[in-house]
């Protein structure tokens, strides 16, 4: 969708498979290598944004809805996070009152990326309704269209 609009898109991973360097032994070392390699991709392209897409999980199933996380290491991160949160409310979850959340070093890619970066939690796997929706192709398509709308709106606000 974004490529049709003229954006160049780079995907670090499209499966839950690590992109650690070959020959790295041990899960902790593989995780560090994977994160370092993804950060290198994030920082390779100037004038880019980085969107890390995830599904949330929590011990209490009452929590639901999309939520954006950002760090204060780049002054543009908060604007990107707020734009994305607003677009999720507008296009997908009108009752979502979750607020964007500031993160620290625990979200490695958000914290150390040189480009504007947001971690997008599309919903909660621990919430029955969110889980059901996240599994449906129609809902997934709306999420992808919402991500596209968010990115387009963000870049329009940057001009």
């Amino acid at each position: 969708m974004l490529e049709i609009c003229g954006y160049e898109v780079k995907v670090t991973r499209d499966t839950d498979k690590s992109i650690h360097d070959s020959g790295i032994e041990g899960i902790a070392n593989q995780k560090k290598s994977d994160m370092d390699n993804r950060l290198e991709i994030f920082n390779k392209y100037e004038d880019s944004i980085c969107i890390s897409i995830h599904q949330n999980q929590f011990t209490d199933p009452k929590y639901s809805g999309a939520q954006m996380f950002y760090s204060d290491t780049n002054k543009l991160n908060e604007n990107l996070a707020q734009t994305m949160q607003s677009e999720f409310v507008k296009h997908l979850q009108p009752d979502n009152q979750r607020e964007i959340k500031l993160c620290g070093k625990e979200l490695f890619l958000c914290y150390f990326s040189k480009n504007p970066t947001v971690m997008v939690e599309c919903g909660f796997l621990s919430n029955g309704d969110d889980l059901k929706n996240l599994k449906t192709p129609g809902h997934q398509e709306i999420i992808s269209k919402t991500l596209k709308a968010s990115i387009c709106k963000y870049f329009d606000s940057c001009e």
Side-chain angles (χ1 to χ4, degrees), residues 128-158:
D129 291 336
D130 275 7
L131 178 60
K132 180 180 157 193
N133 286 335
L134 290 166
K135 288 181 174 182
T136 64
H139 190 78
Q140 293 168 12
E141 183 175 341
I142 295 169
I143 288 173
S144 64
K145 287 179 178 178
T146 300
L147 290 167
K148 176 193 154 286
S150 302
I151 292 166
C152 292
K153 184 170 186 168
Y154 171 79
F155 279 115
D156 284 347
S157 71
C158 291

Side-chain angles (χ1 to χ4, degrees), residues 2-11 45 47-49 155:
L2 288 168
E3 289 172 337
I4 291 170
C5 295
Y7 293 102
E8 182 179 350
V9 176
K10 301 291 180 189
V11 177
Y45 302 96
D47 299 323
S48 297
I49 62 170
F155 279 115

Side-chain angles (χ1 to χ4, degrees), residues 18-141:
S18 174
I19 61 169
H20 63 271
D21 294 328
S22 63
I24 301 289
E25 299 282 331
I27 293 187
N29 293 333
Q30 289 173 350
K31 178 76 171 175
K32 181 178 180 340
S33 175
D34 173 77
M35 297 298 270
D36 289 342
N37 289 338
R38 286 194 280 151
L39 183 62
E40 184 178 334
I41 295 167
F42 275 31
N43 289 333
K44 182 177 179 179
Y45 302 96
E46 291 184 29
D47 299 323
S48 297
I49 62 170
C50 306
I51 310 296
S52 187
I53 302 170
H54 298 264
Q55 312 312 319
N56 217 333
Q57 176 94 8
F58 197 68
T59 54
D60 189 337
K62 74 178 180 182
Y63 295 103
S64 65
Q67 185 170 27
M68 310 307 139
F69 292 83
Y70 70 99
S71 82
D72 60 4
T73 56
N74 182 318
K75 64 181 181 178
L76 300 174
N77 289 347
E78 184 175 9
N79 182 28
L80 177 58
Q82 189 57 62
T83 299
M84 298 197 87
Q85 187 72 34
S86 297
E87 290 298 298
F88 265 79
V89 170
K90 177 180 174 183
H91 295 286
L92 192 64
Q93 301 167 344
D95 296 330
N96 183 338
Q97 296 186 8
R98 302 192 71 77
E99 295 182 11
I100 62 173
K101 265 195 167 168
L102 186 63
C103 69
K105 291 181 182 177
E106 75 280 359
L107 294 182
F108 180 83
L109 296 174
C110 284
Y111 192 83
F112 290 104
S113 177
K114 295 176 186 172
N115 291 307
T117 302
V118 170
M119 185 170 88
V120 176
E121 297 281 5
C122 297
F124 282 78
L125 297 175
S126 49
N127 177 282
D129 291 336
D130 275 7
L131 178 60
K132 180 180 157 193
N133 286 335
L134 290 166
K135 288 181 174 182
T136 64
H139 190 78
Q140 293 168 12
E141 183 175 341

